[in-house]
């Protein structure tokens, strides 16, 4: 496993967020388009969680979000953040990371 310096880790803006809207991507079987409220702003992500979660399971969920990921287009939609998950090597299971206790959206993860 490669190591990184703390200064590199500190560049990551990881925060708690709340999923405030989620819908299936019209042109992709495994993708959702989700709106994540992160401390006063809303970020959009395109995420491949369809095999693991139903839309109603995601709505209102508190999640851990990498907020300063470079924007990317995925199947024509802009993804501007990443939901953090624990995923098995064979991708048979993927579980969203969530705070142990209730936390407000936008709290920094350190």
């Amino acid at each position: 496993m490669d190591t990184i310096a703390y200064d590199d880790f500190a560049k990551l803006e990881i925060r708690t967020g709340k999923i405030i809207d989620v819908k299936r991507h019209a042109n992709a079987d495994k993708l959702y388009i989700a709106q994540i409220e992160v401390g006063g702003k809303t970020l959009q992500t395109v995420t491949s969680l369809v095999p693991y979660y139903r839309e109603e399971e995601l709505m209102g969920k508190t999640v851990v979000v990498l907020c300063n990921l470079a924007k990317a287009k995925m199947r024509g939609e802009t993804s501007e953040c990443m939901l953090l998950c624990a995923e098995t090597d064979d991708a048979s299971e993927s579980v969203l990371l969530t705070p142990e206790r209730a936390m407000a959206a936008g709290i920094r993860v350190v």
Side-chain angles (χ1 to χ4, degrees):
M1 178 182 319
D2 291 338
T3 60
I4 63 169
Y6 178 80
D7 288 345
D8 292 328
F9 171 76
K11 293 176 186 175
L12 301 175
E13 187 177 334
I14 304 171
R15 296 188 177 272
T16 57
K18 183 175 181 179
I19 299 175
I20 59 172
D21 189 48
V22 63
K23 64 181 179 181
R24 293 286 297 265
H25 190 297
N27 298 316
D29 292 338
K30 295 184 180 182
L31 297 179
Y32 285 123
I33 302 167
Q35 304 300 317
I36 316 299
E37 196 272 309
V38 183
K41 63 181 173 180
T42 301
L43 299 173
Q44 177 169 288
T45 188
V46 180
T47 183
S48 58
L49 290 173
V50 170
Y52 311 107
Y53 290 91
R54 295 183 319 275
E55 289 175 54
E56 54 271 13
E57 290 178 294
L58 295 173
M59 277 298 299
K61 192 167 192 67
T62 300
V63 291
V64 178
V65 185
L66 175 58
C67 297
N68 63 338
L69 188 65
K71 291 181 183 180
K73 286 280 190 181
M74 296 178 70
R75 295 282 181 114
E77 294 288 338
T78 300
S79 189
E80 52 191 354
C81 64
M82 179 183 286
L83 301 178
L84 299 185
C85 298
E87 189 168 279
T88 57
D89 287 339
D90 66 358
S92 63
E93 190 168 5
S94 188
V95 178
L96 283 163
L97 299 183
T98 61
E100 178 182 358
R101 287 186 239 146
M103 295 294 288
I107 300 296
R108 182 113 191 207
V109 175
V110 296

